[in-house]
């Protein structure tokens, strides 16, 4: 899930309340502590909360009790895989050209 997709799950107006921590997306919707997508007037659902959790009074284990509903895609992660595909395509094209050259010689 991208950050833009995660932002849609802000817990407002009946929407689910999701938050990301260390790349995992958790569903806080069932928690009374996340009513309306807001936790203690300090944290809003629909965001990466990893840095905010560092200053939280509770440990990460509290967050890990919630169901994991996905993984947060980091910016540029798709570009890396696209680059690998492009390199593979170039190598395949070169191999085909070499084979054609050898056969048609």
């Amino acid at each position: 899930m991208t950050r833009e997709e995660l932002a849609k799950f802000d817990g407002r107006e009946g929407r689910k309340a999701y938050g990301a921590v260390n790349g995992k997306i958790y569903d806080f919707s069932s928690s009374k502590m996340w009513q309306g997508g807001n936790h203690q007037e300090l944290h809003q659902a629909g965001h990466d909360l990893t840095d905010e959790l560092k200053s939280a009074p509770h440990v990460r284990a509290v967050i890990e009790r919630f169901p994991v509903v996905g993984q947060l895609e980091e910016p540029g992660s798709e570009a890396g895989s696209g680059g690998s595909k492009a390199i593979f395509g170039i190598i395949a094209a070169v191999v085909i050209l070499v084979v054609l050259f050898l056969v048609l010689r």
Side-chain angles (χ1 to χ4, degrees):
M1 182 180 298
T2 65
R3 291 176 187 271
E4 292 78 22
E5 292 167 329
L6 175 61
K8 296 175 186 175
F9 296 94
D10 61 4
R12 296 178 179 149
E13 300 176 359
R15 292 184 292 268
K16 296 267 187 183
Y18 291 178
V21 177
N22 294 328
K24 291 183 183 178
I25 299 174
Y26 296 91
D27 183 352
F28 306 134
S29 303
S30 64
S31 173
K32 292 179 182 178
M33 300 296 288
W34 281 92
Q35 293 299 307
N38 191 291
H39 179 63
Q40 304 290 312
E41 299 296 324
L42 297 172
H43 312 290
Q44 182 63 46
H47 299 281
D48 184 350
L49 304 169
T50 302
D51 290 336
E52 295 177 35
L53 184 61
K54 293 175 184 174
S55 62
H58 51 72
V59 294
R60 189 171 69 206
V62 171
I63 300 296
E64 292 172 345
R65 292 181 191 155
F66 292 99
V68 175
V69 294
Q71 294 287 325
L72 184 62
E73 293 179 14
E74 292 301 322
S77 64
E78 290 181 22
S81 63
S84 298
K85 290 178 184 176
I87 291 171
F88 177 76
I90 292 169
I91 292 171
V94 169
V95 169
I96 291 170
L97 288 173
V98 168
V99 169
L100 284 173
F101 174 76
L102 294 173
V103 170
L104 296 176
R105 235 174 75 165

